[in-house]
Amino acid sequence: MARVLQPKDREVTAERLLDSSVRNSYQPDVDIDWDAPLVEGKGFLPEERVSLYGTELWERLTPEQRIELAKHELGSITSVGLWTEIVLMQLLARYAADLDPRSPHTHYALTEIGDETRHAIMFGKGLSRFGLPAYGPPKVVRSLAKVFGAVIGGPAMFASVLVVEETTDRLQRSMLDDEGIQPIIRMINRIHVVEEARHVRYAREELVRGLEKLSRPEREVHRLVTAVVAYSVVDIMVHPAVYKSVGLDPREARAVARANPYHHESRRWMAEKIVEFLNEVGMIGGPSKRIWRKAHLL
């Protein structure tokens, strides 16, 4: 288990994060050249992270089709990421409303809302720049998220935020120095990675503080909620409609992707760091552990 965090730690951390926000923040409208042409032959995702990689369907695709599919899968992941940023803003606003407005801890929560606003706009501009649909999550997930946002708080909220942020963060970090990836994608990733590092620190510490106050039955409830969110998020990252972009049948291709051991490994790789942390602090365990395994995150 992580060490017990004292109340003063919260304010010290917040002060440091606020200082970092002043020194290391971006303005996507200025820092990204949205009019720069795409570089012919460069990709949008590492090939091994595309859901069909290594399958018979993948072998049938031409190099151009593989790039096109990767672009649409990135668009789907981005659409889901954009949506989760907005959900996170709502959660943080509700959380901050109950805090002392004089506290640096509160000030950082509000600063993070500002960061997430810029990220959502950046992702939206990226989808538009690449001519991609706003795939996003299915209606049922959107509806369930409204219930989640209205009733869930504390450790489950912060753990769920971390699952979303740290899985996408690992994928983005892997592309920062990859010369085979489009430069504009690498710059979007760089901005998000730098600013999300602060959000992760904030959420990890709040999660540990919240866990210290839970009874054993309460912990099981928070474990279950987090596991369901993790399963849902990784399952909706690649929308079935992306396969239409290269002439594949969405149902067939989705079934192939779901059975693809390479895709399972990518999921585990993306979630490796956050799963390790959640295991360490006791947020993965008990009956809900089966959900993590079913999602191919363990």
Side-chain angles (χ1 to χ4, degrees):
M1 293 287 290
R3 72 178 180 87
V4 175
L5 296 173
Q6 302 301 322
K8 67 178 181 180
D9 294 330
R10 167 186 275 178
E11 302 304 328
V12 170
T13 295
E15 291 279 14
R16 289 172 179 168
L17 294 176
L18 286 166
D19 180 63
S20 176
S21 297
V22 172
R23 292 183 290 103
N24 297 301
S25 289
Y26 290 88
Q27 292 295 334
D29 282 338
V30 175
D31 295 315
I32 296 175
D33 184 359
W34 295 104
D35 296 321
L38 298 180
V39 181
E40 187 175 352
K42 288 191 181 291
F44 294 82
L45 282 174
E47 283 196 347
E48 66 273 17
R49 302 304 169 198
V50 181
S51 64
L52 294 180
Y53 176 80
T55 66
E56 185 180 346
L57 286 181
W58 178 258
E59 294 304 320
R60 292 187 210 164
L61 300 178
T62 66
E64 292 75 21
Q65 286 177 314
R66 292 176 181 180
I67 290 175
E68 186 67 11
L69 178 58
K71 181 173 74 171
H72 280 261
E73 289 204 10
L74 177 68
S76 179
I77 294 169
T78 299
S79 295
V80 171
L82 191 162
W83 172 74
T84 58
E85 299 279 18
I86 295 172
V87 172
L88 173 56
M89 284 186 262
Q90 295 169 340
L91 293 171
L92 279 173
R94 182 162 61 87
Y95 172 71
D98 294 328
L99 300 176
D100 184 342
R102 300 165 298 177
S103 162
H105 181 74
T106 309
H107 300 167
Y108 185 73
L110 298 173
T111 298
E112 184 170 335
I113 292 172
D115 289 345
E116 302 295 14
T117 300
R118 293 197 310 277
H119 295 168
I121 294 170
M122 176 174 70
F123 291 156
K125 287 175 73 73
L127 293 172
S128 179
R129 172 66 183 83
F130 303 132
L132 292 165
Y135 288 106
K139 289 182 180 179
V140 64
V141 174
R142 291 179 186 272
S143 298
L144 289 173
K146 290 177 182 178
V147 176
F148 172 85
V151 301
I152 298 299
M157 181 187 85
F158 285 108
S160 298
V161 166
L162 285 166
V163 168
V164 176
E165 290 188 340
E166 296 206 48
T167 51
T168 53
D169 179 81
R170 189 149 206 212
L171 179 63
Q172 290 178 320
R173 283 179 184 271
S174 73
M175 292 188 272
L176 294 182
D177 299 317
D178 187 342
E179 295 289 343
I181 300 297
Q182 292 286 347
I184 191 170
I185 295 295
R186 293 167 63 194
M187 189 59 194
I188 290 172
N189 290 345
R190 189 170 305 280
I191 289 173
H192 198 242
V193 162
V194 168
E195 297 187 346
E196 286 297 319
R198 297 192 290 266
H199 305 173
V200 167
R201 171 74 182 275
Y202 186 79
R204 282 192 174 206
E205 290 200 7
E206 283 308 291
L207 170 59
V208 172
R209 287 190 188 91
L211 285 171
E212 292 165 0
K213 304 172 185 177
L214 296 184
S215 66
R216 185 169 181 177
E218 288 172 332
R219 182 185 294 262
E220 289 302 328
V221 171
H222 284 264
R223 282 174 168 177
L224 176 61
V225 170
T226 304
V228 170
V229 170
Y231 181 95
S232 301
V233 167
V234 298
D235 196 52
I236 65 173
M237 278 189 178
V238 179
H239 196 287
V242 301
Y243 303 114
K244 291 182 180 179
S245 67
V246 290
L248 296 175
D249 176 76
R251 285 191 177 185
E252 178 191 2
R254 181 170 173 79
V256 169
R258 280 182 158 177
N260 183 9
Y262 291 99
H263 187 43
H264 299 168
E265 180 55 36
S266 278
R267 285 187 176 191
R268 284 189 289 270
W269 171 81
M270 288 174 66
E272 185 177 28
K273 289 188 177 181
I274 183 56
V275 165
E276 180 181 357
F277 173 74
L278 293 178
N279 260 319
E280 178 189 346
V281 300
M283 273 296 280
I284 296 178
S288 63
K289 198 168 186 177
R290 291 194 296 271
I291 300 174
W292 289 90
R293 289 199 179 97
K294 188 175 181 181
H296 303 290
L297 298 176
L298 283 178

